[in-house]
Amino acid sequence: PRWAALPGMERTTVLITGCSSGIGLGLAARLAADAARRFQVYATMRDLAKGGRLLERLGGCCPDTLELLQLDVTDPCSLAAAAQHVQGQQLDVLVCNAGVGLMGPLETCSEQAMKTLFDVNVFGPVRTIRAFLPAMKSRRAGRIIVSSSIGGLQGLPFNAVYCASKFAVEGLCESLAIVLRPFNIHLTLVECGPVHTSFMANLQHPDPEGSEMR
């Protein structure tokens, strides 16, 4: 069964990346289950087959406040399709949450693993913001929330590459925040400490959907 919406209510439209696990899953479930139905949530993930985790959190049913949407932050075509899908909606909040972790001594980290991490953690938010920013600028309204980390403020042992990616995200967002204010677009960095995610449970196989230590 689908949950009924309250008539005549204007909702805040939120799109969240990396909702198959971790912070993204928890945030999407919390907003979609809001008792006052204040939010319309686009919960995006690279692999929609993992959407069952989110529906399970919501009791097995999909409320009318939630839509699952395929989005891979490393794929420009996927981002363009997602942006096109929500084009008719006024996107109020964009949450760039997708991320991966990489832990271990630097000499054990392969170059490919490091490139993948930067592709998701740094270029992922860049691509995502670029895809949705023009519509926000044209409306002169919006909020962008980017998942950073305490590792973006200080280096952490055996997390050199991960911290480097988050330091880059900090610089990106601090610079963007200044130039977006005249468009009434507010950018927020969330610098979490350790959070239990699938990355923490399986350090050897990072999942680019909310599976990092933040």
Side-chain angles (χ1 to χ4, degrees), residues 9-14 31-32 34-40 65:
M9 173 177 288
E10 290 190 9
R11 293 174 175 169
T12 298
T13 302
V14 185
L31 296 183
D34 177 68
R37 306 292 192 267
R38 293 173 295 177
F39 304 97
Q40 182 66 43
T65 52

Side-chain angles (χ1 to χ4, degrees), residues 195-209:
V195 174
H196 181 72
T197 66
S198 58
F199 169 69
M200 298 300 289
N202 191 349
L203 296 175
Q204 299 304 313
H205 300 284
D207 178 349
E209 291 169 358

Side-chain angles (χ1 to χ4, degrees), residues 1-5 11 29 32-34 37 57-65:
R2 296 179 66 85
W3 302 344
R11 293 174 175 169
D34 177 68
R37 306 292 192 267
R57 181 75 68 90
L58 291 167
C61 60
C62 185
D64 72 339
T65 52

Side-chain angles (χ1 to χ4, degrees), residues 80-101:
Q84 179 68 28
H85 184 82
V86 303
Q87 191 173 25
Q89 295 284 334
Q90 174 178 301
L91 183 60
D92 301 297
V93 183
L94 173 65
V95 183
C96 298
N97 166 74
V100 296

